[in-house]
Each structure stands twice: as structure tokens, then as C-alpha cells.
Amino acid sequence: DTEVTQTPKHLVMGMTNKKSLKCEQHMGHRAMYWYKQKAKKPPELMFVYSYEKLSINESVPSRFSPECPNSSLLNLHLHALQPEDSALYLCASSQLTSGSASYEQYFGPGTRLTVT
Amino acid sequence: AQSVTQLGSHVSVSEGALVLLRCNYSSSVPPYLFWYVQYPNQGLQLLLKYTSAATLVKGINGFEAEFKKSETSFHLTKPSAHMSDAAEYFCAVRRTYSGAGSYQLTFGKGTKLSVIP
């Protein structure tokens, strides 16, 4: 099974709402990633977790709060978002590497977020 | 720093014609390169990856790519385009390994492929 699942598929939220995006994989991958993708642009990395610990934060505003409760799950908590945060949010996972191997990232279908 | 440049934001081909999507990389070390495809309103799907085992890499859906060090290129080709190939294609390179076990991808800006019946 090489599937990464994401819920919900679509989300509309107001600027004062709190919501969460969920991501799940059962491939035994210990690296998980959040990306943000605006229309007609490539994905931009937001966060990386290795062994359930945050290893990379690409200077993302604090209104985005990631969480990795276990090795299969990754959440992204959203609070007080701005309309410019509207985008496709993608989750990905990969095997950990020692540096010499190249393991691909597997992407989920994404959550289409609209902030009103 | 590792980076990739995709030449042509939009490529149109006729059904049955050769598909050629261009990607040039910049890297001070042997690169790890990937091609991903994204269909509308979907996530990214890996087409193929270069890992230095072979310069000609075969991927899914009839795509292949050739790594040319002398030209710093990793162009994606398919002999005969199908309507179902219409999508956005991204070339990506793995950034310098940070030692944490995970790694970051740097994506090109993408090339939208249109297939004309």
C-alpha cells in the first residue's frame, strides 16, 4: 500500500475559526511533510517531521501548528488564517535516509482550503 | 545549492507525437532528481527518479528520462502522447542532506502539458 490519505478534501473556514487537517500513511515511513501549493505554482515546503519530531520549520507563521501524534498520523492545526492562506495543502511521507539513498516522497491528494 | 530549471511553462503536443519536457539542474554534488506529475485537483505522483544507478531511467506510463551530466539535464520524454498525459509536470532535486534522515525537495516551476486530439 503506497497511499497517503488526507481529510477533508475541501475546507472553507472563516478567519476566526479553528480547524485541523489530517494526514495518514501506513507505509512505515518515519518522515512526514506538509506542503502548501498555490495555483499554478510548485509545492512549497512548510514542515518536516523525522521520527515524530519536528526537524524543519520553513519559517511558517504561527497560525499554522503541526502535530505528529504517532508514526502514521500528521495533523496541521489552523487558527486565525488570512485569505492569502487559501491554497492546496499537501501531505507527503518518505523513508528516512542515511544520505546516500534516495527515497521518493509519496504525496496525498491534498486538502483544498478556502479562507473567507 | 541544488536547484532545477524547467524550460517552458506550457508545452502543447498532438496526440501520438513525441513528448519532451526539459529540466536542467544545478548541483555541486551528484544530484538526486525526480519527475512528478500532478493531475488537476490531485496530489503529486512520482513518474521516475534518478539515483546514479543508470543514466536512462524508465518510469510509469511510458515515460523515461536521461541524465546527462555534460549538459546538466534530466529531460522527460514519451514517444507517443496520449490524451490522458495532459497534466502539470514538476522536476525536483533533493537538497543537500541535512543529516536528520528526512530531506527537502526543490521543485521547478512546472510545465503544463496539453495534448491536442
Side-chain angles (χ1 to χ4, degrees):
Chain A
D1 181 11
T2 58
E3 188 179 23
V4 176
T5 59
Q6 290 187 243
T7 55
K9 280 186 175 299
H10 301 275
L11 179 62
V12 179
M13 60 184 291
M15 290 189 285
T16 59
N17 291 159
K18 286 186 180 180
K19 296 286 185 183
S20 296
L21 308 184
K22 296 185 184 301
C23 173
E24 189 168 6
Q25 57 88 14
H26 295 286
M27 294 179 276
H29 292 168
R30 302 303 294 275
M32 296 187 76
Y33 311 77
W34 278 116
Y35 289 86
K36 174 183 177 180
Q37 187 179 27
K38 301 284 275 186
K40 301 186 188 303
K41 299 289 187 182
E44 298 175 8
L45 184 66
M46 300 175 72
F47 302 104
V48 182
Y49 274 82
S50 301
Y51 288 112
E52 297 85 68
K53 289 185 173 21
L54 184 65
S55 58
I56 297 172
N57 177 339
E58 294 280 64
S59 302
V60 179
S62 60
R63 57 185 183 270
F64 295 91
S65 176
E67 178 195 21
C68 191
N70 60 54
S71 60
S72 300
L73 293 175
L74 186 66
N75 298 322
L76 186 63
H77 303 297
L78 314 173
H79 174 54
L81 295 192
Q82 303 297 310
E84 58 265 29
D85 297 322
S86 298
L88 181 67
Y89 287 84
L90 295 164
C91 173
S93 71
S94 73
Q95 294 183 55
L96 290 167
T97 175
S98 61
S100 59
S102 176
Y103 298 118
E104 58 268 33
Q105 293 183 13
Y106 291 86
F107 285 80
T111 293
R112 176 73 61 188
L113 174 67
T114 303
V115 181
T116 60
Chain B
Q2 283 75 14
S3 65
V4 289
T5 302
Q6 290 185 243
L7 300 176
S9 59
H10 191 185
V11 171
S12 291
V13 299
S14 297
E15 192 174 16
L18 172 72
V19 175
L20 171 60
L21 304 180
R22 300 176 188 273
C23 174
N24 288 89
Y25 69 89
S26 172
S27 177
S28 57
V29 297
Y32 292 106
L33 295 162
F34 306 83
W35 274 101
Y36 282 88
V37 61
Q38 186 175 32
Y39 299 100
N41 298 313
Q42 293 189 28
L44 278 69
Q45 180 182 13
L46 180 73
L47 283 174
L48 49 82
K49 65 180 182 182
Y50 170 71
T51 59
S52 76
T55 56
L56 183 62
V57 182
K58 294 188 183 299
I60 63 170
N61 301 340
F63 284 93
E64 62 182 38
E66 186 171 8
F67 176 77
K68 292 187 177 180
K69 185 177 179 180
S70 61
E71 299 177 8
T72 61
S73 69
F74 189 57
H75 301 332
L76 183 70
T77 60
K78 182 174 181 178
S80 177
H82 294 177
M83 296 298 294
S84 60
D85 294 326
E88 188 85 24
Y89 291 79
F90 293 99
C91 181
V93 63
R94 195 184 85 175
R95 291 194 216 169
T96 304
Y97 176 61
S98 65
S102 59
Y103 63 90
Q104 298 149 282
L105 288 175
T106 297
F107 288 90
K109 292 187 176 181
T111 298
K112 182 176 180 179
L113 176 66
S114 297
V115 181
I116 304 164

